[in-house]
Structure formats: structure tokens, C-alpha cells
Amino acid sequence: MTIKISGEAGQGMQAISTALAKVFKKAGLHIFMNQDFMSRIRGGNNFSQLRVSERPVFTLKGKSDITVCLDKGSISIHKPDMAEKGIMITDRQKFGTEETGPGFFDAPFYDMAKKAGGSELFANSAACGVAAGITKISFRLVEEALKEIFADKPADVIKINIAAAKLGYDFSAKYFRSDAFAVKEGAAAGNLLMNGNEAITLGAIRGGCKFYSAYPMSPSTSIMENLSRYAKDFNIIVEQAEDEIAAINMIIGASFAGVRSMCATSGGGFALMVEGLSLAGMLETPIVAVDAQRPAPATGFPTRTEQADLDFLIHAGHGEFARAVFAPGTVEEAFYLTVKAFNLAEKYQIPVLIMTDQHLADSSRDIDPFDMDKAKVERHIISKEDSKKVTGYKRYQLTETGVSPMAVPSWIEDVIYADSDEHTEEGHITEDGKIRMSMVDKRFYKKMALLSREVEEPTAYNLSGADMVLVGFGSTYGVMKEACEATQGKKLGFIHLSQVWPFPSDHIAGLLKRAKKAVTVENNAGAQLAKLIRRSTGIEVDGSILKYDGRPFNADFLKEKASEAVNNGRR
């Protein structure tokens, strides 16, 4: 069942959807929740979508079973997206509308709000109660959820919100006679409700991040907000820099001093960071940087989603140096890959980039608690004790692997020299051609060879005998999984890449050579993954299903497009 809550910015749709998500999670049901909001503080049309199921869910559906309209404008906008037997909840008296019939349920939640607290401000809680009442779920769960949502509010405010919700709940119980949307209540599973940015935040904390610097930019900003919330508890310095250039240079400095560091931004901010990215490559200083993608170029759609930075991230920066680029597809991967990013960056003294997007960043799912045994911190610096024995230290010592021992400046007696110019093993400027070639081999060829041995293997699902294989990266994991599970008549499988650089060429070639037909699924216009597969493996896929309207795929859309592709051949 999909519940949509729609209204103008500032009407509290997110509060309702989060409260309902908590309600259904407490009832032992599975949750997927996504926010769709415009780049404005007030007005416009924003909505939240909440999907509730008895089995795990990973993506959105195209149609809504219950649509809650908090303003008149929402009715015409979302009426076309109602399920065939769906219901739209409106306040006819408040909106001055006449919609009637089996698809509409009139609930005076603005009057309920005034009755409960003397103000229409509480209409969202009344609407929350109306929606909960339609699902026949226990009001006890609604009350618990509202107490959690408004935990930082005064007691009287919490009391009024609960009273407004109770009025809405009782109204539904009295006037909504159908059991069409009744849910089966079970026991809470003790799982977590989390979105992609929250998982990255916890991954950074687990990975040992002690310094974070960024300039606010949607959809990455909540990483900084979350880290700030936990900063005192985990002894983390969070610095809002004056711009993205300063942010990345600050984390390079902190990392050079031995402190695990991270920054996050969106594509426009990352464009400013690329000179610093090259500096990290030249200095062989480990950093972790997050690019939460949004539609570009320039400001684009600031609050919406896209996957168009793939080519940008694997090639960003001038010159040649090693890097790894992760593209987590789930909340769980966002956590585990962030921990790995810190370990890998320090192990090979390189920048590691985490490429997400607004859809993953702002979408919440219920998940099992993380397995901390799978998320261990691995340090790759000279220990404080061993540092006392170091003499004649060379920061860029040429080794067989290309990785030099990394010392912390304050822990050893020797002076450490580092330079953005080409340099000797000791870190002094040089223009010697032979040394130049040795250093390029060190920074680029040798480290890329080592990174390729640790590449994340793609996820392969239902490939045996599949009529067609979908191939995607990043946030398309969930929609590919559900589209494959839901397709009948033709058998679909999928391959998902959670690491796009170094590209897992051998793995992909091995998986695709047995596919009858393969198409990429991408939230961009250029089929960047399809071209990357061709460049890296020589395999040309049979087509691409592309979406670049700033909105994420949903299971129904992809199922339809995949059926067309499997029946019609190349696109």
C-alpha cells in the first residue's frame, strides 16, 4: 500500500509521513519512504510517499492507494496518480471543492485542528489520524509515534498534536466504513528506520572520521547536520567552510596530520573541489568525499535526483592518479561502503569518492541493525610507538607496491616534506624525468593495480535463463530488484554495481557474456554506464532505459519499460 501526503512547503508533510512510518514499523510492517520537494521555503507542491508492506520493499510504486491532500492544489496534481480503487482524503469545506464519490473521503481536518488546539497549524496531525484510522491500525501506535516525532517540543504542544490526531482517527472510525486499506498488525521487529545520508553519517563515525568540513549543498547537507548532532559524543570536529574549495583543502590538511577526514557536496560543489582532489592525489593524502548527485548543469534541480556525474567522478581532476568510486545502492551499502572508503583511502593513500544521489540520500527504509563485525576500522599508518624508531623518513619512498609508509608528523622526530610539485622520495621539488616517471607509476599504475584486486563485486540476481538482464549502479538497485520480481511472462535478471571505479571489468564481462539481452537502467540522458561498459569490456549492451526528468524510477515504470525492451529488442 502506498500513502501519499501532499501540500504546500511548510505544511508538515514530512512530519506526517515520518509519524506514519513509525506507526507501521511499530506494527511490524516494512517501510519505504521518499520525499519529493521543490526548491522553495513556502508554497509550491511537496509530497511524501510512504510504502507499507508485509515483505521488504526497496522502491516506490507509480500509483497511490491513499492520497492525503493538505491543500486544494494537491487534488488536481495527484488525482491522475491515484490507484484504480484508491482514496483521496480532502477537506472540502476548507478547500471549497465539490469532489464526491467512492474515490474521495471528506474529512474536516482543519476544523479538527482548531478544535484540538485553536489553530490550523495542527491540521497535519489531524490528517495523520484520519489516514491511520482508515488503515484500522491501533491509535496507541499513533500516539507513541507522535510523542517521538515531537519529543523536542513542549508537553502541551505534544498533547495538542495527539488530540488532533485522535479527532481524525475517530472521524475515520465513524465515517469510513470500508476495510479496503486495513493492515494486519504484528509485533515490532526491532529494526531501524534510516535514509542514505544517515547511513553515510554513521558509516563515517564507525570508520573513524574525526574531522568533517563542507559547505551546505542539497542533497548532501543532512550529512553535516547529522554529524554535528553526534560531534560531541564521538569527539568529531565539524567545520562549515566558506566554500567547497576550502572544505576539501581543510580535510586534506587534517588527513595529512593523521586524522581521518571527510567532506560532502553535490555536483556543483564537487566541480569546485577538483583542484583539491588532484592535490590529494599528488600528495598521496587519503580523503573521503561524497557527491550526492542532483540534476545539473549549474544549479539545475537543486532538490531532485539524477545519476549524471558518473563520467565526472571517475575522471575528475587534472593528471593521472589512483582513486576509487563507490556507488551504494541501498541504505546498508551506504553504511558499509563508507567504512570501507576510510580504510581503503588510508591503505593506498588516495581519494575515495562515494557517489550517491537525492533519491538514496532522502529515502528511508526499515533495515536490520548493522553488523559491526563487517565494519571494522583498519588503520594503515605508522603507529605512535613505532614512530619513535623512525629515522631518515621519506614520505614518498619508492616501494614495490607503490605505497609508502605513512607517518603522522607529530609522532616522528624527522621533518616530513610534502609538495604539490613533482617531488623526490623525500618530498623535495624536482624536474628529473626519471623520478617523474617513477612517481607517476607509483601514484597511478601500481595503486590502480592494487585497487583492482579489492574491487566490490557486482550483485547478480536471477541471471540464469533470463530473457533480459538489467544493469544499473547506485540508487537503481531497489527498483531493478522489484521490477525483476514483479515481471511475469518473461524472466528478468539484474546486475548492480556498487563500485564503478576501478571498473569491475572482468566481473561484468563474465556476467554479461551469458546474457541473451542486456539493457542499462540509468537516471541520466547520456547512457553513461552503457558507454563505460563498452569502454571497459568491449561489450555493447542492447539498449538503455533512461530517466532524466529529475524524478526517480518507480517499480511500475521500470516494469513497463523493461517489458517493452524485452519484446521489442534494441531501443
Side-chain angles (χ1 to χ4, degrees), residues 62-320:
K63 300 291 184 181
S64 297
D65 300 289
I66 299 174
T67 305
V68 181
C69 297
L70 292 178
D71 71 330
K72 181 180 179 180
S74 296
I75 299 173
S76 57
I77 292 172
H78 297 290
K79 191 175 177 180
D81 296 326
M82 289 173 61
E84 185 179 355
K85 296 182 179 178
I87 189 84
M88 179 171 274
I89 303 169
T90 65
D91 186 335
R92 288 209 313 247
Q93 182 179 342
K94 171 69 177 178
F95 303 156
T97 55
E98 298 296 332
E99 285 85 1
T100 58
F104 293 91
F105 181 56
D106 177 35
F109 37 78
Y110 280 90
D111 276 353
M112 298 175 197
K114 287 190 283 188
K115 185 176 180 181
S119 169
E120 292 185 346
L121 284 174
F122 306 104
N124 59 344
S125 290
C128 177
V130 173
I134 285 176
T135 68
K136 314 296 184 188
I137 204 157
S138 167
F139 186 75
R140 172 183 59 82
L141 301 179
V142 179
E143 184 173 352
E144 289 177 7
L146 289 174
K147 286 180 178 176
E148 293 176 14
I149 293 291
F150 298 115
D152 60 344
K153 305 292 184 187
D156 59 331
V157 173
I158 297 173
K159 186 176 179 181
I160 293 172
N161 277 285
I162 292 172
K166 187 67 166 65
L167 288 173
Y169 186 89
D170 290 345
F171 185 88
S172 291
K174 184 175 182 179
Y175 296 105
F176 193 82
R177 307 290 173 79
S178 171
D179 290 330
F181 306 104
V183 298
K184 186 177 179 182
E185 197 170 317
N191 49 4
L192 309 172
L193 186 64
M194 190 175 298
N195 66 33
N197 274 359
E198 290 168 336
I200 287 175
T201 302
L202 296 181
I205 293 171
R206 176 64 176 175
C209 179
K210 294 298 179 187
F211 181 73
Y212 178 91
S213 183
Y215 183 80
M217 190 170 193
S218 297
S220 69
T221 307
S222 61
I223 297 175
M224 180 160 61
E225 294 168 345
N226 290 325
L227 271 171
S228 300
R229 188 175 305 135
Y230 297 121
K232 287 186 179 178
D233 294 334
F234 294 96
N235 195 27
I236 300 169
I237 300 295
V238 178
E239 173 72 18
Q240 180 176 322
E242 60 267 36
D243 57 33
E244 289 84 352
I245 300 171
I248 193 168
N249 285 325
M250 284 184 186
I251 70 164
I252 291 171
S255 183
F256 181 78
V259 176
R260 288 195 165 188
S261 307
M262 185 172 87
C263 61
T265 183
S266 182
F270 195 77
L272 291 171
M273 290 182 174
V274 293
E275 186 178 4
L277 182 72
S278 294
L279 177 62
M282 187 60 153
L283 295 178
E284 299 185 58
T285 300
I287 60 168
V288 176
V290 179
D291 173 19
Q293 301 167 96
R294 70 190 203 188
T299 310
F301 275 164
T303 59
R304 302 197 181 277
T305 198
E306 196 163 79
Q307 291 184 306
D309 291 352
L310 173 59
D311 284 342
F312 179 37
L313 259 66
I314 64 177
H315 297 297
H318 52 293
E320 298 164 309

Side-chain angles (χ1 to χ4, degrees), residues 399-422:
T399 63
E400 187 174 347
T401 62
V403 180
S404 309
M406 184 173 173
V408 175
S410 61
W411 290 356
I412 66 171
E413 294 293 333
D414 289 351
V415 174
I416 299 178
Y417 296 96
D419 205 301
S420 65
D421 284 60
E422 191 54 89

Side-chain angles (χ1 to χ4, degrees), residues 34-39 47 49 60 62 81 293-297 299-308 357-359 475-476 521-526 545-554 557-558 561 571:
N34 175 260
Q35 311 296 331
D36 185 301
F37 52 97
M38 302 175 74
S39 179
F47 61 92
Q49 292 177 94
L60 302 168
D81 296 326
Q293 301 167 96
R294 70 190 203 188
T299 310
F301 275 164
T303 59
R304 302 197 181 277
T305 198
E306 196 163 79
Q307 291 184 306
D357 53 42
Q358 184 272 333
H359 184 52
S475 67
T476 56
V521 178
E522 308 182 51
N523 257 140
N524 61 56
I545 299 172
L546 307 175
K547 198 170 191 297
Y548 44 95
D549 58 358
R551 277 71 176 174
F553 286 98
N554 65 64
F557 176 89
L558 183 57
K561 294 297 179 184
R571 178 170 177 267

